[in-house]
Amino acid sequence: MSQNASRLPGRHFLQIPGPTPVPDRVLRAIDMPLIDQRGPEFAKLGKRVLEAIKTIFKTTQPVIIYTATGTGAWEAALVNTLSPGDRVLMVNTGQFAALWKTMADRLGLRAEVIATDWRVGADPAAIADHLRKDKAREIKAVCVLHNETSTGCLSPIGEIRKAIDAAGHPALFMVDTISSLASTDYRHDEWGIDVSIGGAQKGLMLPPGMSFNAVSAKALHASKTAKLPRSFLSWDDMLTMNKQGFFPYTPATQMLYGLDTSIAMLHEEGLDNVFARHHRLAEATRRAVRAWGLEILCRDPKYYSPTITAALLPEGHDADAFRSLALATFNISYGASFGPYAKRYFRIGHLGDINDATLIGALGATEMALALAGVPHKKGGVQAAMDYIASAQSGAAVRAAAE
Ligand SMILES: *Cc1c(COP(=O)(O)O)cnc(C)c1O
């Protein structure tokens, strides 16, 4: 940046669905002198975070921590459990599902894909139908995204589990919870997930560069005979070293300090309160979008995402140009649009370390930007969001006054 580049005062509104804003307390936790990753102090940290992360996945089974972004944990899930040529069932809910499918192709798996129009989540009945047709029980894994970040559609993971069971199919169930974990309810054990894939830079409020595999006994068992090549991502080495709180290679120590703190913060707020906050912010955002007269990309309320809302602009209006104008004028970033809807929508991320007032600021900037960009819309989106939040918070306000 040139010395004369004009400063953008105040906080950047990072309303993309990850990376999300990192709380100051997490930044301070990371700002520590390095320690010996084979020493006793590290072992304590390692053991503590390896246990604590289980509470976020709601599991008592092992969670593996990778020094990699979410994409690395996607790969880890596949290469640790599957063999070349294995059939896997995927649901094309959007851009991230499509990327995971491309990865499966590159690894030499045979992916079969249930299509959607990118405006809904995964349908449990369609998955059960597909599995019932697999009489020889050759499909080795069902791979679904809990929250499709590119469209703002959430899939009913508990119901999909029931559908797989109803079809009597033994496939492993792998779930990408990267943009839903620590933002909305997720239950690795209760939902019978075999591999849950998480990432750091979304609901966990951390910088990018860390990701997770929560692993069931069935997945561990499959890993004993799985033949896809793996080395850095091997669960075996990790699980062996993790027993003492260590890692097979140099771990990202500072990220582990951050994780320790972000998990503590989530429990201080209370996971159920964290989830309620995300649902409130999502509903407020949808009310704003509807009041503007814009269409929400997710077309069926049963799939609404608690973390991301994608708003379609009217035909003839370029959503990328709208995003650029909003960034230049109001210092706010939104998520981009993909695939069949490229340039048609922008995504408002409302996950991580965000509260009611931040959201109202973001929606205010959005309403002003719509006006400046000449996008036909009605006024009153921010008002609709404020009215909803005020009524949703009135119970809490009464309780606070009574204390
Ligand atoms: C962000 C994201 C990914 C990719 O994660 P990276 O950290 O960018 O590698 C995968 N799946 C979902 C659902 C995501 O939101």
Side-chain angles (χ1 to χ4, degrees):
M1 203 184 280
S2 100
Q3 251 185 327
N4 298 324
S6 65
R7 190 180 92 87
L8 292 170
R11 269 211 177 208
H12 175 59
F13 275 72
L14 186 63
Q15 300 305 138
I16 59 174
T20 62
V22 178
D24 293 349
R25 187 168 150 200
V26 171
L27 291 174
R28 284 198 296 272
I30 289 172
D31 183 11
M32 290 282 283
L34 267 294
I35 56 170
D36 173 7
Q37 89 274 16
R38 307 275 182 219
E41 197 183 333
F42 185 91
K44 279 190 225 148
L45 171 69
K47 280 187 186 156
R48 190 163 67 242
V49 291
L50 285 161
E51 275 309 305
I53 188 64
K54 293 180 184 178
T55 63
I56 303 299
F57 283 92
K58 296 192 177 163
T59 184
T60 56
Q61 305 179 83
V63 178
I64 288 157
I65 303 180
Y66 289 109
T67 305
T69 68
T71 305
W74 261 354
E75 183 159 338
L78 300 177
V79 297
N80 277 286
T81 54
L82 300 168
S83 298
D86 275 354
R87 289 170 63 188
V88 295
L89 178 59
M90 298 182 134
V91 184
N92 184 3
T93 45
Q95 176 72 5
F96 283 100
L99 288 171
W100 201 12
K101 194 262 177 193
T102 301
M103 174 183 276
D105 292 342
R106 288 178 180 166
L107 292 171
L109 299 167
R110 286 185 294 154
E112 27 212 275
V113 177
I114 296 173
T116 77
D117 63 359
W118 283 29
R119 298 191 64 175
V120 288
D123 174 16
I127 291 172
D129 284 350
H130 194 105
L131 292 176
R132 280 202 187 90
K133 288 189 199 119
D134 175 31
K135 299 263 186 273
R137 301 295 186 240
E138 282 178 0
I139 293 173
K140 289 288 186 289
V142 176
C143 304
V144 178
L145 276 65
H146 187 202
N147 189 68
E148 174 54 77
T149 318
S150 68
T151 64
C153 294
L154 189 82
S155 291
I157 298 303
E159 286 175 40
I160 295 174
R161 170 78 270 168
K162 288 191 190 125
I164 297 171
D165 292 346
H169 202 288
L172 294 168
F173 187 21
M174 304 198 195
V175 179
D176 170 339
T177 177
I178 295 178
S179 64
S180 51
L181 188 72
S183 303
T184 195
D185 196 18
Y186 188 81
R187 305 175 182 200
H188 177 83
D189 285 0
E190 191 182 318
W191 293 344
I193 314 301
D194 292 301
V195 189
S196 294
I197 297 137
Q201 77 273 26
K202 299 183 185 180
L204 282 171
M205 313 176 286
L206 294 165
M210 178 186 276
S211 56
F212 311 93
N213 275 179
V215 175
S216 75
K218 185 172 159 185
L220 265 184
H221 188 256
S223 76
K224 304 297 175 209
T225 50
K227 300 220 161 43
L228 279 175
R230 54 191 181 268
S231 174
F232 178 79
L233 297 172
S234 169
W235 289 345
D236 274 357
D237 304 342
M238 278 287 204
L239 291 173
T240 307
M241 295 295 289
N242 283 176
K243 288 197 182 95
Q244 314 317 321
F246 296 121
F247 288 71
Y249 36 77
T250 316
T253 313
Q254 311 314 100
M255 287 291 286
L256 295 172
Y257 285 132
L259 178 64
D260 197 21
T261 298
S262 82
I263 294 172
M265 289 170 73
L266 288 164
H267 287 306
E268 282 167 25
E269 183 177 352
L271 285 182
D272 289 340
N273 294 328
V274 172
F275 304 155
R277 171 167 58 83
H278 281 82
H279 283 273
R280 185 173 70 244
L281 297 174
E283 178 60 24
T285 305
R286 290 190 293 266
R287 287 185 187 218
V289 172
R290 278 194 216 106
W292 290 325
L294 302 180
E295 205 180 329
I296 296 168
L297 183 68
C298 183
R299 63 176 165 75
D300 184 340
K302 79 174 179 218
Y303 295 116
Y304 278 159
S305 166
T307 56
I308 296 129
T309 302
L312 281 157
L313 292 189
E315 206 77 57
H317 290 269
D318 180 336
D320 291 352
F322 168 76
R323 289 190 302 116
S324 303
L325 181 138
L327 175 62
T329 318
F330 299 117
N331 198 10
I332 182 168
S333 299
Y334 308 101
S337 46
F338 298 97
Y341 300 96
K343 293 183 187 287
R344 291 283 322 279
Y345 64 80
F346 66 102
R347 289 173 299 146
I348 304 172
H350 31 78
L351 72 164
D353 190 34
I354 173 173
N355 63 19
D356 297 322
T358 310
L359 183 77
I360 292 302
L363 295 175
T366 308
E367 189 161 327
M368 291 188 288
L370 287 169
L372 289 182
V375 175
H377 68 286
K378 295 197 242 12
K379 300 284 172 212
V382 179
Q383 189 64 54
M386 289 196 298
D387 291 346
Y388 173 73
I389 288 174
S391 75
Q393 289 284 37
S394 60
V398 169
R399 283 193 297 280
E403 268 171 20

